[in-house]
């Protein structure tokens, strides 16, 4: 299972980013490519503890549903997201977002193994493994949304 903790998984995402274009048509959803990339970047900021989010109560916080969603089930198209991960999308600029993405990947990956990670707004406390898999799957989901 791919994870942002794996150098080869990060490398594959960077190669896919290089194939994306700001005018790429979306296959689903409402976000433009620059908006999607701002959303993905803010999700990475959340994962490294730089962007606070408000917890949302619900069944996804509890096993086994949490594990099924993170590790097994495909990410649904159009699933609601934390408001904080949409806060910058209307002023997103492709060049800036594309330039910061690689450093956010590395900052995520450089977290020491024993360091604490923030709670996810929908899933609550996550293990290091779960954060790596979920973060990878989230980026993959949105890159696929724009055809790469």
């Amino acid at each position: 299972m791919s994870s942002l903790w794996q150098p080869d998984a990060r490398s594959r995402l960077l190669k896919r980013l290089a194939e994306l274009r700001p005018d790429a048509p979306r296959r689903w959803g409402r976000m433009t490519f620059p908006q999607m990339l701002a959303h993905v970047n803010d999700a990475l900021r959340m994962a490294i503890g730089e962007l606070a989010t408000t917890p949302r109560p619900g069944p996804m916080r509890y096993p086994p549903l949490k594990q099924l969603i993170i590790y097994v089930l495909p990410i649904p198209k159009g699933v609601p997201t934390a408001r904080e991960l949409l806060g910058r999308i209307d002023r997103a600029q492709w060049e800036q977002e594309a330039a910061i993405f690689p450093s956010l990947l590395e900052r995520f990956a450089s977290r020491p193994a024993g360091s604490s990670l923030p709670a996810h707004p929908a899933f609550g406390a996550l293990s290091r493994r779960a954060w790596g898999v979920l973060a990878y799957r989230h980026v993959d989901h949105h890159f696929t949304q724009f055809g790469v």
Side-chain angles (χ1 to χ4, degrees):
M1 176 155 292
S2 294
S3 166
L4 285 192
W5 302 119
Q6 302 164 334
D8 61 319
R10 294 190 308 276
S11 178
R12 287 192 311 270
L13 291 176
L14 292 173
K15 287 177 185 171
R16 290 169 68 186
L17 174 68
E19 296 174 16
L20 286 166
R21 297 289 168 249
D23 60 347
R26 61 185 170 256
R27 294 178 173 178
W28 70 82
R30 290 175 270 176
M31 287 188 276
T32 64
F33 171 71
Q35 290 174 331
M36 174 276 293
L37 199 50
H39 164 71
V40 164
N41 284 343
D42 283 348
L44 289 170
R45 285 184 180 99
M46 173 192 66
I48 58 178
E50 293 181 3
L51 179 65
T53 56
T54 303
R56 292 188 352 218
M60 294 190 309
R61 299 179 82 76
Y62 305 102
L65 185 58
K66 177 165 54 172
Q67 284 78 11
L68 277 171
I69 294 169
I70 292 171
Y71 296 108
V72 179
L73 299 174
I75 297 175
K77 297 171 183 164
V79 67
T81 191
R83 283 189 305 268
E84 298 89 346
L85 302 184
L86 299 173
R88 296 184 320 106
I89 67 169
D90 289 335
R91 56 187 186 279
Q93 297 194 12
W94 176 76
E95 297 85 6
Q96 292 171 335
E97 300 301 332
I100 194 74
F101 179 75
S103 68
L104 286 168
L105 281 182
E106 286 308 311
R107 284 169 47 209
F108 179 91
S110 67
R111 301 281 301 204
S115 66
S116 65
L117 296 165
H120 187 279
F123 297 111
L126 295 176
S127 68
R128 181 177 172 84
R129 178 174 182 255
W131 259 120
V133 170
L134 181 62
Y136 177 87
R137 292 188 69 209
H138 182 248
V139 175
D140 174 68
H141 170 78
H142 284 295
F143 281 12
T144 301
Q145 179 183 11
F146 285 87
V148 296

